[in-house]
Amino acid sequence: MHLPYKLRFVSSQLVTVTVLLTLLLFIPQIWLNLQVYHSFNNIVKYEFKLQMLSDEITYLDEVLTMSARMNAATGNFIWEQRYRQFEPKLDIAIKESIKLAPKAYKNEDAKIIDAANQRLVAMEYQSFDLVNKNQKEEAKILLFSSEYENNKRIYANGVAQRKRNISLQLQQKIDEYYQRIFWAILESIISLVMLIPAWLLVLHLLQQYLKDKKIAQAALEETNSRLEIQVAERTVKLKYKNFQLKQTLKELQHTQVQLVQTEKMSSLGQLVAGVAHEINNPVNFIYGNLLHLREYSQQLLTLITLYQQQCYNYSPEITTLLDEIDLEFIIDDMPRILSSMAIGTERIREIVLTLRNFSRLDEAEMKFVDIHEGINSTLLILQYRLKENHNQQEITIIKDYGNLPLIECYAGGLNQVFMNILSNAIDALYQWETECLKGEIEKQLSSIIIHTQVKNKERIIISIKDNGSGITKEAQTRLFDPFFTTKPIGKGTGLGLSISYQIIVEKHKGKIKCISAPGEGTEFVIEIPIEQARSIVPH
């Protein structure tokens, strides 16, 4: 059944007017919504970039502090070079952050932060001058003084507060855009309510045409059914692709974290290997010449004794000289001096050998090595942190080594794990001691127990336990997550244990777990195979 021509003409005009009215009402709304979305997206990117710059500023500031303190502790000029290498990067990051959030850097708090930062830089440069003048102790006292720590705390707290203020400002902008979106939606709803009667009339007229198109509608429904099936299939594929993308992004994040940490540890290994090489050459020279010096001195003493036996008439000059130099004491003391020098050079040679063992960090091949050598070399690197100083008591290392065979492993990777776990244990003991002093609680002597044993024919166990404050159950569930740390802001990156988990579990097919409770210390138990399994290639 067809409608009369006049009625069709009227319905056509009504449809045209209704469509034009719809376009006039909705096109501005759509444009407004697109603008709001674009602005909101820019805010999100702006906030993400600010957060990255803030994290970079915190990291670079810690690098500068560490470089200055290492320069004061070792007197090595390479740390001052490292400081001056990273200082321009920090300035660039701060300038970029000022461009993005200028208001946050122009208030009174910003002046306090800047003043504290300038004092820190001045003290660090002063420490460089002291080290260059061979006054390392004064430089260390300066960088570990309460004034330095107070300025460091003021600067760190100010940076953290500035980051919170920027986040609050961004949140306010986001709230404003949410309000604009709300009003845009409300206006759209009002426009829709206005158009509903007109469209109802249009739909009523169009019903007449729909009756004449039942056959086409049936075909259309069939087509729609097929399209829905295809859409469902593609939705399943998209979900699977999305899952694969998330897995790829997660693997990429782990790979990026591992590359950063591996590069840092590789640089440390190269530095240690270079120092060991430079020390080894002059020590070998001294050690080799001591043998000849012992022989020559013994020959000279024998000659003097023979002269004394053969020559009975001494001249007054010789007698006076013998009294002045105390020949008998020299004859008695010279062998002891040479023996002491030989023992000292032998000890230096042992230290160089240990440093070379630790510098295996850049080895990529799997080899059979002595695990105890890796632990001992790591302890040697950390020896300066274990000794007693004016703020902390000495940390006792208790070695309970079992009779382990040679282990097939990545020696550098395991040394990196030992470095991360032992460093965390030292930090925990120092923090626990500080808390005990503040709360006037009696603190027992700080200690770290290292225990190794053979579990069975295939695996060994390595245990590292401290008697610090312990870790809560909640923190233990996230302990091996990247970027998670229980240390104060600026004290840790949260990468060490994540990297350690990858090295033990993924590279060595082993296990690592944490056993801890508040107030009962922390123990990390590592279990690795003695030999790595080989995949069998079919012929």
Side-chain angles (χ1 to χ4, degrees), residues 213-255:
K213 296 180 180 179
K214 286 184 178 180
I215 297 175
Q217 182 67 29
L220 181 61
E221 289 178 356
E222 184 179 355
T223 304
N224 287 337
S225 178
R226 289 198 301 268
L227 287 175
E228 288 177 358
I229 294 173
Q230 293 177 359
V231 168
E233 292 176 352
R234 292 185 179 181
T235 301
V236 173
K237 292 181 180 179
L238 285 175
K239 287 183 179 179
Y240 179 71
K241 292 292 184 182
N242 188 36
F243 173 76
Q244 286 183 322
L245 180 60
K246 288 181 179 179
Q247 291 295 112
T248 303
L249 289 175
K250 185 176 181 182
E251 292 175 1
L252 180 62
Q253 183 186 33
H254 281 290
T255 302

Side-chain angles (χ1 to χ4, degrees), residues 22 195 212 244 274 330 337 353 408 425 456 511:
T22 302
L195 290 171
D212 295 332
Q244 286 183 322
I330 293 176
I337 293 175
L353 181 62
E408 186 180 16
N456 50 40
K511 301 177 182 178

Side-chain angles (χ1 to χ4, degrees), residues 463-477:
S463 167
I464 301 176
K465 182 178 182 180
D466 64 68
N467 61 343
S469 59
I471 305 174
T472 62
K473 291 292 183 182
E474 182 181 358
Q476 290 183 48
T477 59

Side-chain angles (χ1 to χ4, degrees), residues 210-355:
L210 295 176
K211 291 179 181 180
D212 295 332
K213 296 180 180 179
K214 286 184 178 180
I215 297 175
Q217 182 67 29
L220 181 61
E221 289 178 356
E222 184 179 355
T223 304
N224 287 337
S225 178
R226 289 198 301 268
L227 287 175
E228 288 177 358
I229 294 173
Q230 293 177 359
V231 168
E233 292 176 352
R234 292 185 179 181
T235 301
V236 173
K237 292 181 180 179
L238 285 175
K239 287 183 179 179
Y240 179 71
K241 292 292 184 182
N242 188 36
F243 173 76
Q244 286 183 322
L245 180 60
K246 288 181 179 179
Q247 291 295 112
T248 303
L249 289 175
K250 185 176 181 182
E251 292 175 1
L252 180 62
Q253 183 186 33
H254 281 290
T255 302
Q256 183 181 12
V257 169
Q258 188 171 7
L259 285 174
V260 172
Q261 189 73 356
T262 301
E263 180 64 23
K264 289 166 58 180
M265 296 304 293
S266 176
S267 300
L268 177 59
Q270 293 173 4
L271 174 62
V272 171
V275 172
H277 176 74
E278 294 300 324
I279 294 175
N280 192 49
N281 288 336
V283 168
N284 285 336
F285 176 75
I286 296 172
Y287 186 80
N289 286 331
L290 277 176
L291 299 176
H292 300 295
L293 181 60
R294 186 192 299 271
E295 181 181 352
Y296 296 159
S297 64
Q298 189 61 42
Q299 291 175 353
L300 289 174
L301 292 175
T302 302
L303 178 62
I304 292 172
T305 303
L306 185 61
Y307 265 110
Q308 286 180 324
Q309 292 175 353
Q310 297 296 327
C311 299
Y312 296 97
N313 297 321
Y314 296 105
S315 68
E317 292 83 359
I318 294 176
T319 302
T320 302
L321 180 60
L322 289 176
D323 292 337
E324 289 178 356
I325 66 175
D326 196 354
L327 181 61
E328 292 182 359
F329 176 76
I330 293 176
I331 295 173
D332 182 59
D333 193 49
M334 184 176 291
R336 290 199 294 267
I337 293 175
L338 293 174
S339 177
S340 176
M341 292 172 66
I343 293 172
T345 53
E346 183 65 31
R347 174 58 180 154
I348 296 175
R349 293 177 71 190
E350 291 176 358
I351 293 174
V352 169
L353 181 62
T354 305
L355 291 174

